[in-house]
Amino acid sequence: MTGIDDIEEVATALDMESILHLCKLSFPVKMLKWHYRSRHESLIAVSNKEFYDNELLVYPSPSHNTKELGLKFKHDSSTVYERGKSSANLLEARAVVKEIFKHFNKYGDRKSLGVGTFSVAQMNAILEELEIERKLHPELEPLFSDKMKERFFVKNLETIQGDERDVILISVGYGFDQNRKMSLNFGPLNQDGGERRLNVLITRAREKCVVFFLILKLMICI
């Protein structure tokens, strides 16, 4: 039974179905064949299998084993999902912020960056941690400017649709709590249409997608 502390604050995206999904109810459907965004097969492999019946034609990448391209995972079993408190994973948020600054120190404005989260609470935790860290690195402040051609963002899975960047960091947040217990409540993913929101979230990257997560079992779903 789900307690009140387990209920994720879900924006009314449930009432804001995608225009394409609504059109499916009235218009003929034609399958998209060519996938243009991903520059590495692993970035679209899961969606191709789970959502498109492996019918998408994907341009092959010349580099299969490289740190610069593809789907990557960062697992840290020491982090905790704070159920009943912040409803976020604060240590994971710090790890994501650390990766943000690592990216900007390495690439500057040569590769665009965005962050996607599974929940509003995790998004806010990252934004709070990011605000603290930005004050310590004023030299990198221009890279966070709204005037950038593809400006940096932190968004949850309900607001990220339509965005794409060279590199996307995904923060799952959910997992074992401080009592080493895990609920199967994953916020918006448990709502109607959650699978479509997940599909959008995991297909935003052109070159590399790094998934931060606490529980190993979640690898099966992502």
Side-chain angles (χ1 to χ4, degrees):
M1 186 173 181
T2 303
I4 189 169
D5 290 333
D6 293 330
I7 299 176
E8 174 68 35
E9 178 189 352
V10 178
T12 54
L14 189 60
D15 301 323
M16 299 185 294
E17 284 286 9
S18 99
I19 294 176
L20 290 177
H21 181 70
L22 292 175
C23 286
K24 276 180 63 177
L25 304 177
S26 305
F27 297 97
V29 175
K30 188 173 181 63
M31 177 68 183
L32 173 69
K33 288 296 184 180
W34 284 99
H35 176 72
Y36 66 90
R37 179 182 299 124
S38 302
R39 298 174 189 170
H40 194 278
E41 298 95 313
S42 64
L43 295 173
I44 193 62
V46 173
S47 288
N48 198 8
K49 178 182 177 181
E50 300 296 334
F51 298 96
Y52 303 114
D53 299 322
N54 281 322
E55 293 186 7
L56 285 182
L57 300 175
V58 183
Y59 293 102
S61 171
S63 303
H64 291 281
N65 299 315
T66 173
K67 295 181 180 180
E68 302 297 316
L69 297 172
L71 183 61
K72 313 295 181 184
F73 297 98
K74 291 205 172 185
H75 172 251
D76 187 350
S77 60
S78 67
T79 62
V80 174
Y81 171 59
E82 294 188 348
R83 188 181 312 283
K85 294 183 178 179
S86 66
S87 295
N89 188 323
L90 301 184
L91 290 179
E92 184 175 292
R94 290 173 191 168
V96 171
V97 170
K98 182 178 179 180
E99 188 70 18
I100 291 170
F101 281 89
K102 180 180 177 181
H103 173 94
F104 282 138
N105 275 312
K106 183 175 183 179
Y107 299 111
D109 60 358
R110 298 192 305 279
K111 289 190 178 184
S112 58
L113 177 67
V115 178
T117 70
F118 273 38
S119 69
V120 173
Q122 190 65 13
M123 177 186 71
N124 289 335
I126 292 173
L127 287 172
E128 290 175 8
E129 189 69 27
L130 183 61
E131 184 177 356
I132 295 172
E133 199 68 20
R134 283 172 64 173
K135 293 177 180 178
L136 301 177
H137 299 278
E139 73 280 4
L140 296 179
E141 196 59 27
L143 297 174
F144 294 95
S145 172
D146 290 341
K147 296 180 181 179
M148 296 284 291
K149 182 179 179 181
E150 287 193 326
R151 65 183 182 84
F152 168 79
F153 65 77
V154 181
K155 295 184 178 182
N156 70 312
L157 82 173
E158 293 177 310
T159 58
I160 200 172
Q161 185 164 359
D163 290 299
E164 61 179 73
R165 294 293 185 270
D166 294 327
V167 179
I168 292 289
L169 310 179
I170 295 179
S171 180
V172 173
Y174 295 107
F176 292 103
D177 61 21
Q178 53 270 37
N179 298 315
R180 301 307 296 168
K181 294 182 179 180
M182 185 182 70
S183 168
L184 294 181
N185 173 34
F186 296 101
L189 292 185
N190 290 89
Q191 308 300 316
D192 290 340
E195 73 284 356
R196 293 194 300 277
R197 298 186 188 104
L198 178 62
N199 182 36
V200 169
L201 176 63
I202 64 176
T203 56
R204 299 300 91 197
R206 289 190 288 258
E207 297 184 9
K208 183 168 72 172
C209 179
V210 183
V211 182
F212 292 75
F213 63 104
L214 169 60
I215 48 176
L216 286 170
K217 290 181 180 179
L218 218 50
M219 285 183 64
I220 300 173
C221 304
I222 299 178

